[in-house]
Amino acid sequence: MKIIDKSTYKLPEEIQNILLIQLGDIGDVVWTTPSIGAVKNSIPGSKVSVMVKEGFGGLLEADPSIERIFEVKQYRGNIFSQAVGQLSFFKRHQGSAL
């Protein structure tokens, strides 16, 4: 096992946009909030966005360390129809802070 800390690893300085993905349920989103602030503090000047399941974005709206919140709709059906739904989400947000 390798431990990564500031003395052994340095993030590239050109990192500006960070997307954190938390597609768990409501409790998982709540427990993630300290990590969001830690990421923002670790990379000053970065813009942190968070992707959560539809309906959970409101839990994070007041967090000043979050630049943008993306809510992902859960698509029903077979794997093909789910993939089409998710691809349409990314196409709609192409070029944004994702």
Side-chain angles (χ1 to χ4, degrees):
M1 176 169 77
K2 181 178 179 184
I3 296 176
I4 298 174
D5 62 23
K6 289 183 179 182
S7 66
T8 60
Y9 183 78
K10 186 172 183 342
L11 290 170
E13 292 184 17
E14 63 270 4
I15 292 179
Q16 296 176 10
N17 296 310
I18 300 166
L19 174 63
L20 301 175
I21 301 172
Q22 173 47 273
L23 298 177
D25 289 324
I26 191 168
D28 299 320
V29 174
V30 171
W31 281 103
T32 301
T33 54
S35 300
I36 297 167
V39 168
K40 178 70 175 173
N41 290 334
S42 296
I43 308 172
S46 64
K47 294 179 182 176
V48 177
S49 297
V50 181
M51 180 183 292
V52 294
K53 284 183 182 178
E54 186 175 45
F56 295 158
L59 296 168
L60 305 172
E61 286 179 351
D63 191 326
S65 58
I66 299 174
E67 181 77 19
R68 193 158 180 201
I69 299 169
F70 296 95
E71 289 189 331
V72 179
K73 183 176 180 181
Q74 203 167 10
Y75 294 94
R76 304 273 181 222
N78 62 32
I79 194 161
F80 178 74
S81 62
Q82 291 177 21
V84 168
Q86 295 299 337
L87 288 172
S88 68
F89 169 82
F90 285 111
K91 189 173 184 176
R92 282 192 312 273
H93 295 287
Q94 186 176 9
S96 67
L98 262 182

